[in-house]
Amino acid sequence: MSIRARALAAILASAWLSSSAVAQDSEEREGGIIGTGIVGTVTHLGSIFVNDLRVQVADGMPVTGSVPAMTVADLRPGHTVAIVAERREDGWHARQVRQVLPLVGQVTGIGAQGLTVLGTQVDPGGLSGDLQVGDWVAVSGLWQGPRLLASRIEALEGADHPARLSGSYLGPNPNGDTVIGGSVLSGIEPWHLQPGDLVRVTGQPTPEGIRADALTTGLFDEAVGLIQVQGYLSRPQATGLYTVLGSGLVAYTDQPQMIDTLTTVIQCGQMGRLGEIEANDLTEPGLETRFLSELSC
C-alpha cells in the first residue's frame, strides 16, 4: 500500500493560529476514505498555513468542539486546532477542523507565575490582559510538563460553562491522583486509559482540577493515519515511555537523559506510535520522498 494511498492525520496546535503540521493522503478502505491529519501551530489565515503547508478550507466550514461556536472564518492567531485533511492535485484540503482547547475553566489564581485554571499553572505569555480571579477562559496552547504555555486566552461571558480539559494521560501522580497536565481528574475511574493517551474531558471545575461528566480519547472524530505533531516531549517514565504531549503518540527510549523536555519538536507517527512510519511497501518511491519532505518527517 503506498503512502499516497495512506490517509494521514494530525493535530494542529496553536499560536497565531500557529501551527506545526501533519498531513496525509486519503485512502480507499472498507468504510470509505480515511482522512489526513495536520498537527501544529497555524501561521496565516484564509487558507491555513501550518509549517509552511497550505491547507485550503471551505467557506463556512464549522469548527467542531469550539467555545463559543464558530466557523473557520472565526479562527484567529493562537487558536489550537486539529485538522483532518486530504491531499488533492492542487494541494491539501481540510475535511474537518476541530478546536483543541487544553483548558476551559475559571481563573482561580493570578500571580507572578501566571494564571491557575483547573489546578494547572498557565504561562500567559503576556496574554492575560484584564483577567481577574473568577473569570471563565478558554485557553489554547502547548503543554510543557504539567504546565500550559498559552498561545491564546479568550474570556468567556457569564459563569455557566462546562469545564474542559485536553491533554496527555501519563498515569497517577505521587499521591495516587489521576492527572492530566497539572489538573486532577475525578468523578470517573479511567481504568481503560494507557500512558500516553490523549484524553478529552468535559465536566465541572473543582479546586484541584475537574470532575468528569464525560471522557473520550483521541483528537479526531474519524479514522486518521500518519500524524505530524508539534509540541514538547514528556519526561520518560521508568519503562522508557515518552510522548509528544497532547499527541496520543508514544515511543520508548533506553537513554532518558537524551530527551529534551524544554524545546519544541515536530515529529511524526502513526497507529499510536511516535516515529514509526511504514514506508517499506511504497510503490511510488519518488512520491514518498516528496511527501515525507512536505511533512518534515
Side-chain angles (χ1 to χ4, degrees), residues 35-183:
T36 296
I38 300 176
V39 182
T41 303
V42 182
T43 54
H44 296 80
L45 302 178
S47 293
I48 297 174
F49 286 80
V50 178
N51 288 353
D52 294 328
L53 285 180
R54 176 174 179 257
V55 182
Q56 300 176 57
V57 293
D59 291 342
M61 175 180 286
V63 177
T64 63
S66 58
V67 177
M70 66 173 69
T71 69
V72 291
D74 300 311
L75 290 171
R76 293 294 180 268
H79 279 140
T80 305
V81 294
I83 296 178
V84 177
E86 60 185 31
R87 191 76 167 85
R88 301 178 188 171
E89 292 299 322
D90 62 342
W92 295 102
H93 289 254
R95 283 173 36 178
Q96 184 188 63
V97 179
R98 164 181 289 281
Q99 186 177 17
V100 178
L101 286 166
L103 294 169
V104 176
Q106 200 169 27
V107 177
T108 56
I110 300 177
Q113 301 302 314
L115 312 175
T116 301
V117 179
L118 299 183
T120 285
Q121 180 183 317
V122 178
D123 182 343
L127 301 172
S128 53
D130 298 326
L131 290 176
Q132 301 178 9
V133 171
D135 289 346
W136 275 79
V137 291
V139 188
S140 298
L142 294 176
W143 289 103
Q144 186 186 53
R147 69 174 183 158
L148 184 71
L149 306 185
S151 57
R152 189 174 181 88
I153 301 175
E154 295 178 298
L156 304 177
E157 296 183 1
D160 185 20
H161 305 278
R164 288 167 58 172
L165 173 66
S166 177
S168 294
Y169 169 75
L170 294 172
N173 67 10
N175 296 326
D177 299 317
T178 299
V179 291
I180 306 295
S183 302

Side-chain angles (χ1 to χ4, degrees), residues 167-227:
S168 294
Y169 169 75
L170 294 172
N173 67 10
N175 296 326
D177 299 317
T178 299
V179 291
I180 306 295
S183 302
V184 174
L185 173 63
S186 60
I188 292 178
E189 293 293 337
W191 300 111
H192 63 293
L193 294 182
Q194 298 296 319
D197 281 351
L198 187 285
V199 180
R200 289 184 279 155
V201 184
T202 302
Q204 303 302 317
T206 67
E208 298 81 19
I210 185 170
R211 184 177 69 254
D213 296 327
L215 184 153
T216 58
T217 58
L219 283 164
F220 302 97
D221 293 334
E222 58 181 83
V224 292
L226 179 64
I227 297 176

